[in-house]
Amino acid sequence: MLTEELQKEIYFPYPKVRDVQSNMISDVHNAIKDKKHIIMHAPTGIGKTIAVLAPALSLAVKNNLTIFFLTSRQTQHKIVVDTLKQIKQKFNINFECADIIGKKWMCLQNGVEAMAVGSFHEYCNALRAEGKCDFYNKARKPNLQPTVEAMQAIEELKIIGPCHVQEVIEHGKNKAICPYELATLAAANAKLLIADYYYIFSKGIRQRFLFKINKELEKIILVIDEAHNLPNRIRELLTHKTSSLIIENAKKEARKYGYEETAENLEIVENAFFELAKALSSENLDNEKVVSKNSLVDEINKKKNYGDILAELLFIGKDIMDKQKISYVHSLGRFLESWLGPDIGFGRILSKSMDKKLKLDLSYRCLDPSLAAKEVIGRTYSTVLMSGTLTPTEMYKDILGFKENVIEKEYKSPFPKKNRLNLIVPKTTTKFKERNHRQFAEIAKVCSDIINLISGNVAIFFPSYDLMYSISEYFKKNCNVP
């Protein structure tokens, strides 16, 4: 429970602490203070964000630490920023905050939104290296120190801060200064950073980013929101994919710019793909198999050295990117590079499907999220995992590679069970094979009949956007509520 002494120490901006928040605040404070990690299952609606931020921020200020608040939802970015504003206003304390999303989504260059993330970073690096990005040039000098204009823009942001990332982007637009560079300059002195998971769990990005803002994991309190998503996000980060369609587009791209030898090398790679696919069933057009690293390397080596083809695709791909920002050739080169990665914790999968014509997909798939998670968690000052769906906590502890000093907590919902009415309507189904206009109309009618009887507001949740749009056409005709 929250003691009177602890309540004076933490930055809790609201008039009353709920009972369940009291326990959370105390647990989080003790975990961070003792340099332990905590995994918390806490149902939606109990105020997890402030229950973690209030004790974490007080300890970060006291011990010269930095909080990294990781979330994949931009709505949560705003909630955190708004909460920090309330803390700053109530306690009259000065601390800096930096809100950052992917560099691509903060970029002011025209046309970058259509680029793949990997291609964008190559494009950005090339522009900066050649001094062709005016937005970057207004942010940093050739020696990487901030410009006078950038420092002035940062001071202006401090006055109105804490700032949401969209405010930083707008400020960058108005000053014609790279918003990402403004955010990283602010991050160097920030007590709290809000960012996506990959800023910490993608090793290359983490190393570059922490070096740039002069922070180290050992002095970071890591807060992971919606942490049930973390294992899958890490797997996605470490997974690389390509397909026969990408190879086909890469060949067209190479020939478009006169790289006939590159196109011939791409045909070698393509033929190797189809040789591997011969082992797949000819009768079943939707099947897959596990392949080895050497199976692809050896197949390509029969015609030409794998390493030589890899080096050429990366080199030519960069040249093509200079001309059109995005390159299928470079994308395939990056995949062949990743294919040479470790075997432990990864699977190599070849699959085929039929969509107008035969399509092959090859993936180097991460199976074990602890490969990235345990290194990070093991080095942080303290890590806090929280979610409304984080049970069993023991499972997440295991698959994320937690070793020692871990506290597991499950908090009950404060909302009374008697307020819930659970109804099951077996006359409808969303089973994929039975989806049709009759089902959509029936689901819409059931939903609208219920809503027409309810005086308050209503939210309806669907398994997918596609299903939602299909049902909404019928729903609008039956529902009397706006």
Side-chain angles (χ1 to χ4, degrees), residues 2-238:
L2 189 61
T3 64
E4 191 175 330
E5 184 183 351
L6 181 54
Q7 191 158 356
K8 291 177 182 175
E9 183 183 327
I10 64 170
Y11 297 124
F12 194 86
Y14 309 121
K16 186 180 178 183
V17 180
R18 298 172 186 163
D19 288 341
V20 68
Q21 283 180 318
S22 173
N23 292 331
M24 286 182 69
I25 289 168
S26 180
D27 292 338
V28 170
H29 183 273
N30 290 336
I32 297 173
K33 181 172 64 71
D34 296 335
K35 298 183 71 172
K36 292 183 178 180
H37 311 299
I38 183 167
I39 303 173
M40 301 190 304
H41 165 78
T44 301
I46 64 177
K48 293 189 290 291
T49 302
I50 188 57
V52 171
L53 284 179
L57 187 58
S58 68
L59 288 167
V61 171
K62 186 185 292 185
N63 297 297
N64 193 28
L65 304 171
T66 304
I67 301 168
F68 265 73
F69 192 104
L70 304 186
T71 178
S72 58
R73 296 183 300 151
Q74 285 215 35
T75 51
Q76 187 63 17
H77 283 239
K78 191 170 189 314
I79 290 170
V80 175
V81 170
D82 289 345
T83 303
L84 293 172
K85 285 181 178 179
Q86 290 172 312
I87 290 173
K88 190 173 184 178
Q89 186 176 1
K90 177 170 181 177
F91 295 96
N92 194 29
I93 57 168
N94 281 320
F95 60 86
E96 291 178 40
C97 161
D99 187 8
I100 300 177
I101 55 176
K103 185 191 284 192
K104 172 184 166 182
W105 307 111
M106 297 180 77
C107 183
L108 300 179
Q109 292 285 350
N110 291 326
V112 296
E113 60 278 355
M115 299 173 69
V117 173
S119 300
F120 166 76
H121 285 289
E122 295 283 349
Y123 170 70
C124 176
N125 290 340
L127 276 187
R128 287 189 288 113
E130 295 167 15
K132 292 181 180 178
C133 180
D134 294 334
F135 305 115
Y136 178 82
N137 293 340
K138 279 194 75 175
R140 291 189 187 267
K141 302 173 186 175
N143 64 0
L144 303 183
Q145 291 301 308
T147 62
V148 173
E149 296 98 322
M151 292 307 297
Q152 185 179 344
I154 292 292
E155 290 302 316
E156 291 166 358
L157 287 170
K158 280 182 191 177
I159 294 168
I160 60 173
C163 293
H164 184 258
V165 66
Q166 293 304 326
E167 294 177 275
V168 178
I169 292 170
E170 284 303 312
H171 201 65
K173 275 184 188 175
N174 294 336
K175 301 283 184 179
I177 301 174
C178 173
Y180 177 80
E181 292 301 328
L182 287 180
T184 55
L185 287 169
N189 295 314
K191 192 52 61 182
L192 189 143
L193 287 88
I194 310 157
D196 191 272
Y197 299 151
Y198 61 77
Y199 271 95
I200 291 295
F201 289 99
S202 173
K203 187 174 183 178
I205 293 173
R206 177 179 73 247
Q207 289 175 338
R208 289 192 296 273
F209 185 67
L210 292 184
F211 177 78
K212 193 168 189 175
I213 65 173
N214 195 27
K215 306 277 186 187
E216 52 187 28
L217 275 175
E218 288 76 10
K219 300 282 282 181
I220 286 173
I221 299 169
L222 190 61
V223 179
I224 304 169
D225 184 40
E226 301 293 337
H228 64 276
N229 290 321
L230 184 60
N232 195 47
R233 284 294 304 276
I234 292 175
R235 291 188 195 103
E236 288 174 2
L237 277 172
L238 300 181

Side-chain angles (χ1 to χ4, degrees), residues 28 48 58 67 101-102 156 184 224 245 253 259 277 299 303 311 314 350 371 413 417 472:
V28 170
K48 293 189 290 291
S58 68
I67 301 168
I101 55 176
E156 291 166 358
T184 55
I224 304 169
L245 181 61
E253 186 178 85
Y259 295 114
E299 198 61 50
K303 300 292 183 180
L314 291 174
L350 175 67
L371 292 170
S413 172
K417 284 188 178 181
S472 69

